[in-house]
């Protein structure tokens, strides 16, 4: 089954991400060797997009998590570090954290 977005069929993973997000990946990550002027223009464009679409970071995170879950679920198998002091506090039966 082909994934078609707005009449375009992505061929590479990068194309799929760009079609899903509606922006080129290079806009967010930059390109090697870009000048300071190019970087400033790229960051201005990114800021404009985030102003127009404030939920975009949340949408990107969701898409990334869904892609990982579908294609690399083993990446979600996280083991806590030994000696980790950050633990969730469970509420007691009375509703007050123990």
């Amino acid at each position: 089954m082909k994934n078609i977005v707005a009449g375009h069929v992505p061929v590479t993973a990068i194309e799929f991400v760009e079609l899903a997000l509606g922006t080129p990946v290079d806009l967010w990550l930059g390109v090697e060797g870009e000048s300071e002027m190019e970087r400033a223009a790229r960051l201005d464009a990114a800021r404009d997009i985030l102003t127009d679409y404030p939920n975009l970071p949340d949408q990107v995170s969701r898409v990334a998590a869904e892609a990982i879950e579908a294609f690399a679920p083993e990446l979600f198998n996280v083991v806590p570090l030994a000696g980790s002091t950050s633990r969730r506090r469970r509420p007691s039966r009375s509703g007050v954290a123990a």
Side-chain angles (χ1 to χ4, degrees), residues 5-20:
V5 179
H8 300 281
V9 179
V11 176
T12 66
I14 294 293
E15 289 176 351
F16 183 81
V17 170
E18 289 177 350
L19 287 170

Side-chain angles (χ1 to χ4, degrees), residues 5-6 12-13 17-19 27 35 39 46 53 56 70 72 75-76 78 80 87:
V5 179
T12 66
V17 170
E18 289 177 350
L19 287 170
L27 175 69
S35 69
R39 182 176 189 273
Y53 302 98
L56 185 61
L75 294 178
F76 281 125
V78 179
R87 293 185 176 181

Side-chain angles (χ1 to χ4, degrees), residues 10-79:
V11 176
T12 66
I14 294 293
E15 289 176 351
F16 183 81
V17 170
E18 289 177 350
L19 287 170
L21 297 177
T23 62
V25 173
D26 290 345
L27 175 69
W28 307 103
L29 302 179
V31 293
E32 189 173 330
E34 72 183 353
S35 69
E36 286 300 316
M37 185 184 293
E38 290 168 328
R39 182 176 189 273
R42 177 177 58 78
L43 293 177
D44 282 343
R47 276 190 286 277
D48 289 345
I49 290 170
L50 290 174
T51 298
D52 292 341
Y53 302 98
N55 293 329
L56 185 61
D58 292 337
Q59 292 170 343
V60 169
S61 298
R62 183 181 46 76
V63 168
E66 289 173 357
I68 291 168
E69 188 174 43
F71 299 106
E74 68 279 2
L75 294 178
F76 281 125
N77 296 334
V78 179
V79 177

